[in-house]
Amino acid sequence: MKRKFVSLLLVAAMGMSLLAGCSNSSTEQTTTESPKTDAATEAPKTDDAADTATEAADTATEAADAATDAVGAADADLAGKKVGVCIYQFADNFMTLFRTELQKYLVDQGFAESNITIVDGANDQATQSGQIDNFIADGVDVLIINLVNSSSASTVTDKVVAAGIPLVYINREPDADEQKRWTDNNWDVCYVGCDARQSGTYQGEIIGDLGLEKIDFNGNGKIDYIMIEGDPENIDAAYRTEYSVKALTDAGFEVNCLDDQVGMWDQVKGAELVANSLSRYGNDVEVVFCNNDAMALGALQSIRSAGRTVGKDIYLVGVDALVEVVQYVISGEITGTVFNNHISQADSSADAAINYLTGAGNEHNIQCDYNKVTTENAQDILDSLQ
Ligand code: GAL
């Protein structure tokens, strides 16, 4: 599982605006896609396409592994290098897994633990910008940044590049215009992450694969759902919202959005919002889509409190594959989730940082794959996580 399956590509970036509310949920967003050059970047992926993507990604992984080995041999002095890591918010389950793996992998690669500093942006861009200034003043050799606001990328890039420090963005993808500047200026700046369209598609497929007969409890011929979104600043939220529903309509289902609310990736907010929707729309709610697992855990609490039972009179999907959620998938209390591979993303981010330090350099956009998690493979996923 720790094997990286990373594909290198040019740019798969996008601009998008998002407002919560059913009318905006899937039809009114604008998406600008740059041309892609790698099969692994096509999104959304079906399982067949995912196979092709995996092969392409495997080839890229081998190349990346070879490059990393060469790099490691060429530079044994990582122990003396200082790494600054900015996380948008420590109180985020997924980013906690990510940063824990990142620190571990950096140490495994030869960095001294005392030279790795990871700071909490407390979900405040001003706080994070101050932390970046401090890292620059401190003369770190490389920065790994999970922005609070993706829209701050150009300001952050400008000051980090001016200081001559290579920069790896993670988790919150800067837009296409920003990424174009890195390419046009040949700056040592890149983004490492997954294509959230794939995760949304997988969520929709998990539901669609159940078949209308099993889902349509109220018999109106439609899939009636509520959507609980993450932070609208994050493209992951926008794409998961759009592509989960698109997978259903592409498969020929009629859908009906009962409610679409912003839960900011947070379990407590997710629980509150789902409780409200359930009391308002009652048994008409057939499916609860959550943009991440933390909110799905909150949703599960509210589903139980409302006397509903997942798999019997309602369905629930998340994204991330938190251990607790994968356990619920096994027991049937959550319909499914999508593995957001924090291990491959963290390791690839560290590899990218190393490639800058050794002069090997990187492509400007480095992508990872998601994996669907259902009762069929949940135990395997759980085994790989523990
Ligand atoms: C997403 C993840 C969420 C949350 C978010 C933070 O990729 O699924 O759980 O961690 O990143 O930006």
Side-chain angles (χ1 to χ4, degrees):
M1 182 46 58
K2 301 227 167 178
R3 180 170 170 74
K4 300 175 297 283
F5 48 99
V6 179
S7 69
L8 306 178
L9 61 142
L10 293 178
V11 175
M14 62 300 286
M16 172 177 280
S17 67
L18 173 78
L19 292 171
C22 291
S23 58
N24 294 302
S25 65
S26 64
T27 53
E28 295 177 12
Q29 293 164 357
T30 48
T31 305
T32 316
E33 291 173 35
S34 304
K36 303 184 184 75
T37 55
D38 184 326
T41 68
E42 290 298 328
K45 295 188 188 97
T46 62
D47 280 345
D48 288 346
D51 286 346
T52 316
T54 305
E55 280 162 31
D58 277 349
T59 311
T61 300
E62 276 151 32
D65 283 349
T68 306
D69 291 347
V71 156
D75 188 275
D77 190 30
L78 295 176
K81 302 287 186 195
K82 286 202 255 182
V83 190
V85 182
C86 295
I87 299 296
Y88 94 96
Q89 172 164 239
F90 277 9
D92 176 300
N93 309 29
F94 174 73
M95 288 313 301
T96 300
L97 296 170
F98 194 126
R99 74 184 147 94
T100 306
E101 170 63 22
L102 180 61
Q103 167 139 30
K104 182 183 156 297
Y105 187 83
L106 284 167
V107 171
D108 287 350
Q109 298 312 301
F111 290 89
E113 206 165 332
S114 55
N115 281 337
I116 305 166
T117 309
I118 307 183
V119 293
D120 180 4
N123 205 19
D124 180 66
Q125 188 58 56
T127 301
Q128 185 175 73
S129 297
Q131 292 167 334
I132 294 167
D133 292 341
N134 291 341
F135 276 136
I136 292 172
D138 190 36
V140 293
D141 296 290
V142 63
L143 274 165
I144 299 176
I145 298 182
N146 167 212
L147 286 168
V148 174
N149 293 336
S150 312
S151 50
S152 299
S154 61
T155 314
V156 170
T157 301
D158 283 345
K159 64 177 157 185
V160 174
V161 166
I165 299 170
L167 171 57
V168 179
Y169 283 114
I170 54 170
N171 179 256
R172 294 182 161 188
E173 185 165 8
D175 67 20
D177 287 347
E178 170 61 8
Q179 295 193 41
K180 187 168 178 303
R181 294 196 317 135
W182 313 340
T183 313
D184 290 350
N185 294 294
N186 201 20
W187 287 333
D188 280 352
V189 182
C190 68
Y191 171 74
V192 177
C194 302
D195 185 337
R197 287 171 289 194
Q198 189 187 40
S199 55
T201 300
Y202 284 169
Q203 286 189 297
E205 288 177 358
I206 289 169
I207 295 302
D209 285 350
L210 298 166
L212 185 65
E213 227 168 80
K214 277 180 102 176
I215 308 168
D216 190 18
F217 299 111
N218 65 8
N220 67 354
K222 299 176 187 170
I223 297 178
D224 300 282
Y225 69 92
I226 59 175
M227 181 69 67
I228 307 298
E229 301 190 20
D231 180 356
E233 251 285 334
N234 187 331
I235 198 74
D236 288 5
Y239 273 160
R240 287 174 192 166
T241 298
E242 181 182 359
Y243 278 79
S244 52
V245 176
K246 185 174 183 298
L248 291 175
T249 52
D250 283 354
F253 295 101
E254 240 190 287
V255 297
N256 179 31
C257 176
L258 293 168
D259 206 358
D260 185 337
Q261 300 289 338
V262 171
M264 298 300 287
W265 308 119
D266 182 73
Q267 180 166 347
V268 174
K269 287 202 183 77
E272 279 167 19
L273 294 171
V274 172
N276 290 344
S277 294
L278 289 176
S279 76
R280 188 151 174 213
Y281 300 102
N283 290 339
D284 275 337
V285 181
E286 294 165 340
V287 175
V288 180
F289 283 110
C290 293
N291 281 175
N292 78 342
D293 276 355
M295 297 190 296
L297 286 168
L300 179 60
Q301 290 168 325
S302 300
I303 286 170
R304 285 172 172 163
S305 305
R308 307 281 295 274
T309 309
V310 171
K312 195 167 146 247
D313 55 26
I314 196 164
Y315 296 98
L316 170 63
V317 280
V319 175
D320 280 340
L322 299 180
V323 165
E324 205 180 341
V325 169
V326 179
Q327 284 165 338
Y328 282 132
V329 174
I330 292 169
S331 69
E333 284 180 273
I334 290 182
T335 314
T337 184
V338 179
F339 182 31
N340 190 5
N341 195 328
H342 60 277
I343 299 167
S344 70
Q345 288 173 76
D347 296 0
S348 299
S349 313
D351 286 341
I354 293 168
N355 286 339
Y356 283 138
L357 291 175
T358 60
N362 293 290
E363 297 292 334
H364 293 287
N365 191 302
I366 299 169
Q367 290 275 321
C368 310
D369 269 318
Y370 286 99
N371 303 90
K372 233 183 251 185
V373 184
T374 62
T375 42
E376 279 167 32
N377 66 343
Q379 189 60 55
D380 292 342
I381 297 279
L382 188 62
D383 293 344
S384 73
L385 288 173
Q386 286 178 329

